[in-house]
Amino acid sequence: GQNIDQPTEMTATEGAIVQINCTYQTSGFNGLFWYQQHAGEAPTFLSYNVLDGLEEKGRFSSFLSRSKGYSYLLLKELQMKDSASYLCAVLDSNYQLIWGAGTKLIIKP
Amino acid sequence: GAVVSQHPSWVICKSGTSVKIECRSLDFQATTMFWYRQFPKQSLMLMATSNEGSKATYEQGVEKDKFLINHASLTLSTLTVTSAHPEDSSFYICSARDRRDYEQYFGPGTRLTVT
């Protein structure tokens, strides 16, 4: 079966750095997405990785290792507004998005 | 960036009535649209995938006669919740896949409350 694992909840301090991990086992791989979702709102796109390595975009970076079935989202200089759920999703061989359950990130002052 | 709109953004209806939710891709053509449901503090649950001009593919456990999906054009898909019950109260989100790539663009969601 297809499976995506990420921690349920994480807590970090304002100004710090946090890494949210995602491991996956899917039938085929055509890329991995990270989305941010604030409570009561729809998800918003953060990043897309299809090749191994690190993609940096401002305070957010995303890393992919296809051989290990592993990705992480790195958030630097955390701000209170970064409190949200972060969803990992993999595009499988049929180009369907397989969703992780999401990681709720709590930022403390 | 690509924009997807949803209408209405929230709706309250009485038990037994039907509610239609529209999802539109505003500045791109979407050959495929997805309908999700999300209950409080839970992750997105894919309900169905609709391709323009063909019948929707429903996920296991989703009643196709209750959740009617129509994808009549490359920019519009509709979800009709028929004979709604309080347990159908949820946050319904659509997304559209741009035919030029495989990224999904999400609509803002529709909060449905059935009384």
Side-chain angles (χ1 to χ4, degrees), chain B residues 58-89:
Chain B
Y58 290 81
E59 295 299 302
Q60 193 171 8
V62 178
E63 301 173 58
K64 61 181 181 181
D65 294 331
K66 180 171 181 61
F67 298 99
L68 302 178
I69 292 172
N70 185 290
H71 191 163
S73 75
L74 284 172
T75 59
L76 173 64
S77 177
T78 60
L79 167 67
T80 302
V81 183
T82 62
S83 187
H85 291 285
E87 56 264 33
D88 298 325
S89 298

Side-chain angles (χ1 to χ4, degrees), chain A residues 41-88:
Chain A
E41 298 180 11
T44 55
F45 170 80
L46 288 179
S47 67
Y48 171 66
N49 293 67
V50 67
L51 299 176
D52 289 350
L54 186 68
E55 295 273 347
E56 297 187 73
K57 192 184 293 185
R59 294 190 298 116
F60 293 4
S61 302
S62 57
F63 171 83
L64 174 67
S65 169
R66 289 172 295 172
S67 62
K68 295 181 179 178
Y70 167 69
S71 172
Y72 67 72
L73 180 69
L74 190 72
L75 292 77
K76 303 176 185 176
E77 301 169 17
L78 286 171
Q79 301 174 11
M80 297 303 292
K81 67 178 182 179
D82 297 330
S83 292
S85 287
Y86 291 85
L87 307 172
C88 172

Side-chain angles (χ1 to χ4, degrees), chain A residues 5-38:
Chain A
D5 287 319
Q6 50 181 132
T8 304
E9 187 174 296
M10 298 182 70
T11 302
T13 305
E14 189 177 17
I17 298 173
V18 71
Q19 177 174 312
I20 303 174
N21 295 324
C22 171
T23 57
Y24 62 89
Q25 292 175 306
T26 56
S27 56
F29 179 84
N30 282 298
L32 185 145
F33 292 87
W34 283 97
Y35 285 86
Q36 179 191 59
Q37 186 178 25
H38 285 100

Side-chain angles (χ1 to χ4, degrees), chain A residues 35 37 42 45 95 99-101, chain B residues 36 38 43 97 103-104 106-107:
Chain A
Y35 285 86
Q37 186 178 25
F45 170 80
Y95 291 95
W99 293 90
Chain B
Y36 295 87
Q38 187 174 35
S43 187
R97 179 188 289 163
E103 183 175 339
Q104 285 190 27
F106 284 88

